[in-house]
Amino acid sequence: MKKFISVCLVCFCLFLAGCSEQVPEENTIAVDKKGVVTYTVVEDFEKDFYDAEELQSDIEKEIADYNQKFGSDPLTLKSFEAEDGKAVMQLQFAEARYYEEYYREFAGAELFVGTPGDAEKAGYQLEGELLGADGSLSDWSQVPELDKVKVLITNEALQIQVPGDIQYVSPSGSVTILGKKEAAVSEEAGQACIIYK
């Protein structure tokens, strides 16, 4: 009987491992339907210079210090692994504004996720040309059902994953559409915009 239970547990663990979501291989911001932001950071990791447990402990302390300002925990460490010369950390933010607040201090990061109306209220100017997912040039005045789309705005060079289909992006070549729900923002982005529905 014990052997049977052990085999079942192993099969269950393998099933869970097969169902787990894939961790990106590059620095990535992923937004889900509820607006939760998962930030994946991928960096080189030399064991000769760093201790993985000590680094994770430092990260957890920094997160705890940040969360003390709030009545809840808007920032959590989703995962941390250091192996094969790479360190991969996933931070989860309850909303984009917490990500922006956390990283603005260190890197001047911007991240907005919401409706076009909310973006304008936050001080973003939504005007000028856009590049459609089909490759055609357009502008904000031609976006159909503007009240039904969401906009993601960032000034960082990284991969972006959104919960809806990408409709338009910044037209300057700073944003490349990689798939229906994925895009890449290049170094020269300045302020990149991704519109999805």
Side-chain angles (χ1 to χ4, degrees):
M1 184 68 172
K2 285 183 182 177
K3 189 174 181 181
F4 174 75
I5 292 171
S6 296
V7 169
C8 286
L9 284 173
V10 169
C11 290
F12 182 66
C13 289
L14 289 172
F15 171 76
L16 288 179
C19 291
S20 64
E21 61 189 70
Q22 190 173 356
V23 175
E25 296 178 6
E26 299 178 53
N27 290 356
T28 302
I29 285 178
V31 182
D32 71 11
K33 289 180 179 179
K34 295 180 180 177
V36 174
V37 175
T38 300
Y39 180 41
T40 303
V41 183
V42 182
E43 296 285 347
D44 290 333
F45 182 82
E46 298 295 334
K47 289 183 179 179
D48 296 343
F49 299 102
Y50 302 103
D51 177 83
E53 288 183 12
E54 186 178 330
L55 182 57
Q56 182 169 346
S57 177
D58 290 345
I59 292 166
E60 288 170 347
K61 182 183 183 311
E62 191 172 299
I63 289 171
D65 289 346
Y66 175 78
N67 284 335
Q68 275 188 338
K69 298 188 287 184
F70 307 95
S72 59
D73 291 344
L75 171 57
T76 56
L77 179 63
K78 185 176 179 183
S79 66
F80 178 82
E81 281 187 17
E83 58 185 22
D84 301 326
K86 291 280 183 191
V88 181
M89 173 181 70
Q90 286 193 301
L91 297 175
Q92 203 159 62
F93 296 84
E95 295 176 38
R97 65 188 175 99
Y98 294 114
Y99 173 93
E100 183 175 71
E101 180 185 76
Y102 189 75
Y103 279 103
R104 180 178 279 160
E105 185 179 335
F106 305 110
E110 285 184 26
L111 181 65
F112 173 86
V113 179
T115 66
D118 289 338
E120 289 180 331
K121 287 176 189 172
Y124 292 99
Q125 293 186 350
L126 306 182
E127 56 189 28
E129 288 186 330
L130 294 170
L131 183 66
D134 61 359
S136 63
L137 275 177
S138 187
D139 62 45
W140 281 93
S141 67
Q142 296 175 339
V143 177
E145 299 181 309
L146 193 59
D147 58 329
K148 295 183 179 177
V149 299
K150 291 277 183 87
V151 60
L152 183 148
I153 299 169
T154 185
N155 63 349
E156 295 184 86
L158 37 61
Q159 304 284 328
I160 303 290
Q161 296 175 355
V162 292
D165 291 347
I166 295 172
Q167 308 292 307
Y168 300 92
V169 298
S170 302
S172 62
S174 60
V175 183
T176 304
I177 298 174
L178 303 176
K180 284 187 174 183
K181 301 175 189 306
E182 292 184 65
V185 180
S186 68
E187 291 289 345
E188 350 29 271
Q191 183 175 292
C193 179
I194 297 166
I195 301 168
Y196 61 96
K197 186 176 179 182

